[in-house]
Amino acid sequence: MMLPIDITRTTSPKPRVSEEALGFGQVFTDHMFLMDYDDGDGWHSPRIVPYQPLAMDPASAVLHYAQAVFDGLKAYRGQDGSLRLFRPGDHAARLNRSCAGLCIPPLDEAMIEASFHALVDTDRDWVPSRPGTSLYLRPAVIATERFLGVRPAKAYTYFLIASPVGSYYAEGIDPVSILVAERHVRAVEGGLGAFKAGANYAASLYAAEEAKQEGFSQVLWLDGVQHRYLDEVGTMNIMLRIGDEVITPPLSGTILAGITRDTAITLLKDWGIAVSERPIAIDDVVAANRNGTLTEMWGTGTAAVVSPVGELGYKSEHLTIANGQIGPLTRRLFDAITGLQYGTAPDPHGWVKPVRAGFRS
């Protein structure tokens, strides 16, 4: 039986930022969801409270041993004013997979989903309505036991915060430029690459900053062993079209099982387009670009949805992809996925879930 959610509403609502001025992850709503774990009681005390700092002991395990995972999904306001979540059950399941990878006790996935609905319902007025905007949800689990020692913690906090957002990239849907990481490594098979762990993202910062200093938006990671095969691009999964085939790296343990990635693969197959989940070497990508068979490249992810790649930097060369424009298949995917999310397109796969209302304090 799912635990009831206690709700304490704020008495000091925050001022709103105009929807035209929304960036990404800079503004936060009035409330947050919290739930605690300890060895004796398991997960307990689900509650919504006014947005506030977390109180942690300096010896909390997360601060020393990075036992932390998170996920990310969005709530959307349709033209009719109704609110929707996109594949919330898949995000709840992925959060639990990440927990398993870092020895964090699993949560009840029904409770995770309920936390999404309850927080969005509580802060429903924060969900923006301007085209391209949404309410980004960030669920996370951190180790809060007060101790110093390398072992799984015995106490944790699950929290969920929400942020009204615009486009993830300043370029919006315009093509971005990416630099192939020839020296730095993000993940290797058998490591944390398949989990949304904070440590994965810390490992990506140095190369990303180097890329920005060279004028690129993001990094294209190669495999950590041979430095030859495509891995991920920035915080997204990578896809490319060579001839009549769409290729994306396989889920071999080094990359995240992206929910937008799965959505794109499913839609492409629905459209009768050949999709291969297989390794592809960077040299083959360069060769396909030179002979004209590489026609499109894009990243997929919750934050940006679909982000076209217009330029690829590799071995001091700047390779133009799709004439620096948005390819037709990239555009079709973006329109199809956002159409599902905003409720303007049919949903044959049942991915869109109306926000459940009626949560009360």
Side-chain angles (χ1 to χ4, degrees):
M1 180 177 178
M2 192 170 66
L3 298 171
I5 299 170
D6 182 62
I7 300 178
T8 303
R9 297 181 185 271
T10 184
T11 57
S12 302
K14 300 175 184 177
R16 305 296 172 85
V17 174
S18 69
E19 294 186 8
E20 294 82 358
L22 288 176
F24 196 95
Q26 299 170 332
V27 177
F28 298 93
T29 66
D30 284 324
H31 299 89
M32 62 193 294
F33 184 100
L34 290 170
M35 187 164 56
D36 303 306
Y37 176 92
D38 58 64
D39 261 0
D41 297 324
W43 286 104
H44 62 88
S45 304
R47 61 204 182 273
I48 288 177
V49 298
Y51 189 97
Q52 59 193 267
L54 295 174
M56 285 196 300
D57 192 285
S60 294
V62 66
L63 301 177
H64 303 271
Y65 309 111
Q67 204 183 359
V69 299
F70 67 94
D71 214 280
L73 68 157
K74 291 178 177 179
Y76 304 85
R77 187 181 296 278
Q79 294 177 353
D80 59 357
S82 62
L83 304 182
R84 301 170 175 85
L85 293 167
F86 188 67
R87 302 186 68 169
D90 295 303
H91 284 280
R94 188 172 68 178
L95 181 67
N96 256 352
R97 290 197 300 272
S98 295
C99 284
L102 274 79
C103 297
I104 296 172
L107 294 86
D108 177 6
E109 290 177 16
M111 177 57 76
I112 299 175
E113 275 202 74
S115 73
F116 301 158
H117 287 272
L119 185 59
V120 175
D121 182 44
T122 301
D123 281 336
R124 60 175 43 246
D125 291 344
W126 282 87
V127 184
S129 58
R130 185 180 174 88
T133 62
S134 56
L135 186 70
Y136 182 79
L137 304 181
R138 169 54 60 87
V141 185
I142 58 174
T144 51
E145 183 187 359
R146 175 181 173 271
F147 84 103
L148 298 179
V150 183
R151 61 162 173 77
K154 297 180 181 179
Y156 300 87
T157 294
Y158 167 79
F159 66 90
L160 172 66
I161 56 177
S163 174
V165 298
S167 176
Y168 183 75
Y169 289 113
E171 299 93 334
I173 188 61
D174 292 338
V176 298
S177 58
I178 59 176
L179 177 66
V180 177
E182 299 179 54
R183 295 184 298 114
H184 301 292
V185 172
R186 174 191 162 271
V188 294
E189 191 171 348
L192 296 178
F195 310 121
K196 281 190 79 71
N200 276 340
Y201 295 82
S204 73
L205 296 177
Y206 193 93
E209 286 302 303
E210 280 193 346
K212 289 175 183 177
Q213 290 171 12
E214 294 187 37
F216 294 88
S217 298
Q218 266 297 353
V219 169
L220 175 60
W221 297 99
L222 302 179
D223 75 279
V225 178
Q226 300 183 55
H227 293 267
R228 181 184 176 196
Y229 295 98
L230 272 58
D231 197 78
E232 286 191 351
V233 55
T235 58
M236 298 183 292
N237 298 116
I238 188 69
M239 294 184 172
L240 55 161
R241 189 176 194 178
I242 297 179
D244 295 327
E245 179 187 30
V246 171
I247 306 167
T248 191
L251 301 178
S252 58
T254 63
I255 67 174
L256 187 71
I259 290 164
T260 310
R261 172 188 184 273
D262 181 73
T263 301
I265 290 173
T266 302
L267 291 175
L268 290 166
K269 290 180 178 179
D270 286 349
W271 300 338
I273 295 171
V275 181
S276 295
E277 298 179 63
R278 63 175 174 83
I280 180 165
I282 184 62
D283 290 338
D284 293 335
V285 175
V286 172
N289 183 66
R290 287 177 176 159
N291 66 30
T293 56
L294 172 60
T295 54
E296 298 181 59
M297 180 183 290
W298 63 89
T300 62
T302 297
V305 187
V306 175
S307 184
V309 176
E311 182 184 38
L312 185 66
Y314 181 56
K315 293 188 180 298
S316 300
E317 288 189 70
H318 288 236
L319 309 175
T320 300
I321 310 295
N323 296 317
Q325 305 297 314
I326 304 171
L329 188 55
T330 308
R331 168 61 75 178
R332 186 180 180 188
L333 276 173
F334 179 83
D335 290 344
I337 295 172
T338 55
L340 288 165
Q341 292 167 338
Y342 288 98
T344 60
D347 179 26
H349 297 284
W351 287 328
V352 179
K353 306 299 180 184
V355 171
R356 298 198 296 268
F359 293 91
R360 294 291 182 265
S361 55

